[in-house]
Amino acid sequence: MKTLVIIPTYNEADNVGWITDSVLTEQPEVEILVADDNSPDGTGDIADKLAEADPRIHVLHREGKEGLGAAYKAGFAWGLERDYDVLVEMDADGSHRPEDLGRLLDSARAGVPLTLGSRWVPGGSVVNWPKRREALSRGASLYARLMLNLGVKDATAGFRAFRRETLEAIDLAAVESQGYCFQIDMTRQTRLAGLEVAEVPVTFVERVHGQSKMSLDIVKEALTRVTVWGLLRMNPFRR
């Protein structure tokens, strides 16, 4: 099946070269789309050179930093227009290990509409995470699962594989969330479409180079939106 790995970047000059090389070493048949938000550190220029050297690498230059959700939605649109069968979300910083990608692809190719690379199922783990970060992630997933009845252990997982039919069944234009919340929202939208969501274990590794994009605003957005969605779901008089 024709597979596209979407890697959003913003100031990932130290990472974009080795992560694309590692992905293609592990899975030589996939293609990569680097969706760069006009990184001031030259990430986009580096990606262009990588694309010139390898036809499996493509670059989508975006006008500026609009957030993770907007980058992925642009990447999905790019891939759907070009008839990819499986579209994968993957971080540029190495936190999503290329050696775990095969598990997600096997699941997607077997017909699962959405497969999450999960830290919190048996066999999943995190490496070099402070306890407060782990508590935040576990707590956010638990809250989303209870409020939205998602039925998954790792609702905020950012390493995931969609079949094209899944993305076509979702109203992507209505998904305005970013960060943690974008991932929760996409899981929610998949469930609302009546589609299966599966989890496979992965090892999440804290980034070595560059700075995390996590912020208090991202956490606040997730808490607010999940609370509103949950209350609407539980309100029998909602329209």
Side-chain angles (χ1 to χ4, degrees):
M1 299 181 74
K2 193 176 176 185
T3 301
L4 182 69
V5 178
I6 303 168
I7 303 179
T9 56
Y10 184 76
N11 286 349
E12 297 288 358
D14 292 334
N15 293 318
V16 67
W18 73 262
I19 193 64
T20 53
D21 180 67
S22 297
V23 167
L24 294 174
T25 297
E26 288 289 335
Q27 301 290 334
E29 77 286 1
V30 308
E31 297 181 36
I32 294 173
L33 175 66
V34 177
D36 185 65
D37 278 4
N38 197 22
S39 299
D41 72 347
T43 301
D45 294 334
I46 296 171
D48 283 337
K49 291 182 174 63
L50 295 171
E52 290 174 6
D54 192 325
R56 294 171 295 178
I57 299 175
H58 314 278
V59 186
L60 176 61
H61 291 281
R62 292 164 38 76
E63 291 185 1
K65 192 173 188 295
E66 299 179 34
L68 184 71
Y72 273 130
K73 284 174 28 176
F76 292 153
W78 191 97
L80 292 174
E81 287 173 0
R82 290 160 178 80
D83 297 324
Y84 287 90
D85 302 296
V86 177
L87 297 94
V88 178
E89 295 183 14
M90 188 172 189
D91 285 352
D93 59 15
S95 56
H96 301 153
R97 302 190 310 165
E99 53 263 47
D100 289 332
L101 177 57
R103 290 196 191 99
L104 279 77
L105 297 183
D106 287 345
S107 177
R109 290 165 180 167
V112 177
L114 169 57
T115 302
L116 309 181
S118 178
R119 297 157 289 190
W120 313 131
V121 296
S125 62
V126 295
V127 176
N128 295 331
W129 253 22
K131 290 297 182 182
R132 66 182 181 279
R133 181 78 183 276
E134 181 174 343
L136 175 64
S137 180
R138 285 184 180 273
S141 286
L142 175 61
Y143 186 64
R145 183 166 75 248
L146 294 176
M147 290 293 286
L148 305 178
N149 193 30
L150 295 178
V152 298
K153 296 288 189 182
D154 196 348
T156 64
F159 195 13
R160 48 181 62 196
F162 293 89
R163 290 179 63 91
R164 70 171 292 114
E165 299 90 348
T166 307
L167 294 172
E168 290 171 340
I170 294 172
D171 182 7
L172 288 172
V175 179
E176 299 178 351
S177 312
Q178 300 295 330
Y180 265 169
C181 200
F182 175 77
Q183 308 299 5
I184 296 170
D185 202 357
M186 291 297 291
T187 306
R188 169 177 166 266
Q189 295 290 346
T190 301
R191 287 294 197 196
L192 288 174
L195 299 174
E196 177 189 0
V197 180
E199 295 180 274
V200 297
V202 299
T203 297
F204 185 98
V205 182
E206 179 68 345
R207 68 158 60 228
V208 176
H209 301 291
Q211 295 183 344
S212 172
K213 308 302 190 296
M214 178 57 62
S215 70
L216 183 59
D217 286 342
I218 289 174
V219 176
K220 288 180 178 178
E221 181 203 19
L223 179 60
T224 301
R225 287 185 184 270
V226 169
T227 300
V228 170
W229 293 331
L231 293 175
L232 289 173
R233 185 182 73 84
M234 292 181 280
N235 178 6
F237 301 105
R238 75 188 189 278
R239 294 193 176 198

